[in-house]
Amino acid sequence: MPTNPERWDIFCRVVDNFGDVAVSWRLARQVAREHGKDVRLWLDDLTVLAKLRPEIDPAYDLQRLDGVQVARIRQPFELDGVGDVVVETFGCDPPESYVLAMAAREKKPRWINLEYLSAEEWVEGSHALPSPNPRLPLVKHFFFPGFTPKTGGLLREESLLRRRDEFQSDAGAQAAFWKSVVGAVPPEGALKVSLFNYAGAPVEGLARACALHHGPVWLIAPEGIAATALAAWRVSNRARDSIKIVVVPFLAQDRYDQLLWACDVNFVRGEDSFVRAQWAGRPFVWHIYPQDDGAHWVKLAAFLARYTAGLERGHAAAVTALWEAWNRREAPPPGEESTPGLAEAWAGFVARWEMLDVHAKSWSAQLGVRPDLAAALVDFVDNAL
Ligand code: TRH
């Protein structure tokens, strides 16, 4: 750590789920560890971070982990200095008194709004744009994650792809992982599928489709929505013994990476697990956060267009068919088996597994040569502002 490192204050407010905190924590840890900044992560609710990092004790207002000071946003907010760099994630607005203190500082802090990830075209045009504050002598800049060089890139720790490759080429490490999480090692040739989705995903339809698979299938679900649906399915489908339903505890964030690395197909959701699945270099299916106005279909199509661009037409169609079937929310019409097309789409996807696995590795390699988001943000803040 340089003698007098710059102070970064990163603010995050928990809306719902884990992703906002997951992204904010990852950024904070990387800016501290890999760029030597003095980082403080402000959260209004510490219970979510404690799920991702069990070392965190939600009872403490201030604690340190991995070189990051984790502080609670208390009401009324107690000002304790202002950062040289201020990052608000997903438009969460730092406390008013803090913003006034930013404006009062002689050397104005550099203020960043880290936006949500999208593969849509318009992101490039909005990335790094300034937004002068209408009433205070402050300028905020928008920083957009993304999949192209004209965006802020993706969160990726320095050692991530090296650790992934070491794990995926070490059968012993994988066996140790499975024993520690499940208490057993999947049989040779079993298709290992991890499930992390929102409510409404046709989980039972997928279990039925897996039951038609020619070999053993392990369906692994961290406790939550998928695990509950699978347990219900298991009750009325005891006979289908080629399927092993494996419910595991919610894993610490870095262990969840290993689950993604150890599986053959990963069903992921939201933003952070979506990106981690891409770094895992394995075929994956994205359950996008559904928006009432259906805007999520545009986001899904934008990413699919980029992701399948390098794929032969039949393979691209197979990926698209499964992703669309998985994101269809309507329950199957009464008396019908499952979400229309899911079983066929799943069979078509699995039948192309080898090709899709090669593609998944080339996709993560393609993204992996670009600067990661934390490095791009530090560079932007240090050299462009
Ligand atoms: O929890 P999410 O659904 O969060 C999302 C995102 O914030 C998204 O931007 C927002 O629009 C939406 O909520 C409302 O999904 P996400 O982003 O994948 O975050 C989940 C985190 O949980 C990710 O870091 C992986 C982690 N995780 C574990 O650490 N252990 C586990 O066992 C599992 C299943 C997940």
Side-chain angles (χ1 to χ4, degrees):
M1 177 84 87
T3 49
N4 181 19
E6 272 199 321
R7 172 124 144 244
W8 282 51
D9 274 333
I10 300 178
F11 287 89
C12 175
R13 294 183 195 275
V14 179
V15 181
D16 58 7
N17 304 317
F18 306 96
D20 299 8
V21 174
V23 166
S24 308
W25 166 254
R26 252 186 230 297
L27 176 65
R29 180 174 66 170
Q30 245 193 297
V31 171
R33 276 182 163 175
E34 297 177 19
H35 300 276
K37 308 294 183 183
D38 173 13
V39 180
R40 189 162 53 171
L41 174 61
W42 291 95
L43 298 171
D44 59 352
D45 171 356
L46 277 77
T47 57
V48 176
L49 183 58
K51 283 279 280 188
L52 301 170
R53 294 301 306 264
E55 307 94 318
I56 288 286
D57 181 340
Y60 290 141
D61 287 348
L62 203 56
Q63 57 200 295
R64 204 172 184 81
L65 182 64
D66 291 356
V68 175
Q69 211 178 26
V70 178
R72 185 194 315 280
I73 302 174
R74 289 167 16 127
Q75 294 307 338
F77 181 73
E78 282 175 29
L79 194 61
D80 172 16
V82 166
D84 303 299
V85 176
V86 177
V87 178
E88 63 173 274
T89 58
F90 315 119
C92 72
D93 290 334
E96 180 63 11
S97 59
Y98 186 96
V99 175
L100 293 173
M102 288 168 67
R105 243 183 68 146
E106 197 181 329
K107 187 164 181 297
K108 304 300 181 225
R110 283 149 285 161
W111 189 0
I112 300 288
N113 179 21
L114 178 67
E115 281 288 350
Y116 283 110
L117 172 64
S118 173
E120 293 163 279
E121 295 288 331
W122 60 264
V123 166
E124 292 188 346
S126 303
H127 177 56
L129 285 186
S131 161
N133 187 285
R135 56 191 176 86
L136 296 167
L138 293 168
V139 178
K140 182 190 307 188
H141 284 80
F142 292 93
F143 200 87
F144 282 83
F147 300 94
T148 65
K150 290 194 187 135
T151 69
L154 302 170
L155 284 168
R156 180 189 74 243
E157 295 81 4
E158 209 165 25
S159 62
L160 180 69
L161 300 184
R162 175 177 52 71
R163 288 184 289 114
R164 176 203 69 187
D165 293 344
E166 283 166 7
F167 181 89
Q168 289 183 336
S169 57
D170 180 344
Q174 292 175 48
F177 169 79
W178 286 116
K179 280 199 195 111
S180 68
V181 172
V182 177
V185 178
E188 191 62 32
L191 184 69
K192 303 175 289 298
V193 179
S194 78
L195 276 181
F196 181 46
N197 51 272
Y198 296 114
V203 172
E204 298 190 30
L206 180 70
R208 267 189 290 277
C210 288
L212 306 172
H213 187 63
H214 54 74
V217 177
W218 275 37
L219 273 177
I220 302 111
E223 80 204 12
I225 296 166
T228 312
L230 288 173
W233 179 81
R234 172 51 83 199
V235 171
S236 53
N237 293 276
R238 295 214 173 287
R240 306 206 186 222
D241 50 16
S242 65
I243 298 229
K244 183 174 173 58
I245 305 289
V246 182
V247 174
V248 299
F250 192 89
L251 301 169
Q253 214 177 27
D254 296 338
R255 295 278 277 166
Y256 180 66
D257 274 330
Q258 293 181 318
L259 178 67
L260 297 176
W261 301 346
C263 284
D264 304 303
V265 181
N266 293 306
F267 286 74
V268 289
R269 73 185 207 189
E271 179 162 336
D272 191 64
S273 61
F274 167 54
V275 172
R276 304 314 279 189
Q278 295 173 58
W279 294 134
R282 294 277 193 227
F284 72 102
V285 181
W286 184 26
H287 197 217
I288 190 169
Y289 187 71
Q291 294 168 266
D292 296 343
D293 59 3
H296 57 287
W297 286 108
V298 176
K299 290 178 186 304
L300 191 79
F303 179 78
L304 274 171
R306 293 186 191 283
Y307 185 69
T308 62
L311 273 175
E312 178 270 329
R313 182 188 292 272
H315 300 323
V319 171
T320 303
L322 181 58
W323 283 38
E324 292 188 347
W326 188 243
N327 280 279
R328 260 192 226 116
R329 291 187 63 75
E330 74 272 8
E336 283 201 20
E337 256 295 302
S338 71
T339 302
L342 179 67
E344 297 79 20
W346 173 249
F349 188 92
V350 172
R352 291 174 171 81
W353 186 84
E354 268 77 24
M355 273 310 298
L356 297 180
D357 192 51
V358 169
H359 177 70
K361 288 199 172 25
S362 75
W363 174 258
S364 78
Q366 184 190 320
L367 293 174
V369 294
R370 296 215 190 100
D372 67 83
L373 184 144
L377 180 56
V378 169
D379 176 55
F380 178 68
V381 162
D382 287 355
N383 304 314
L385 298 186

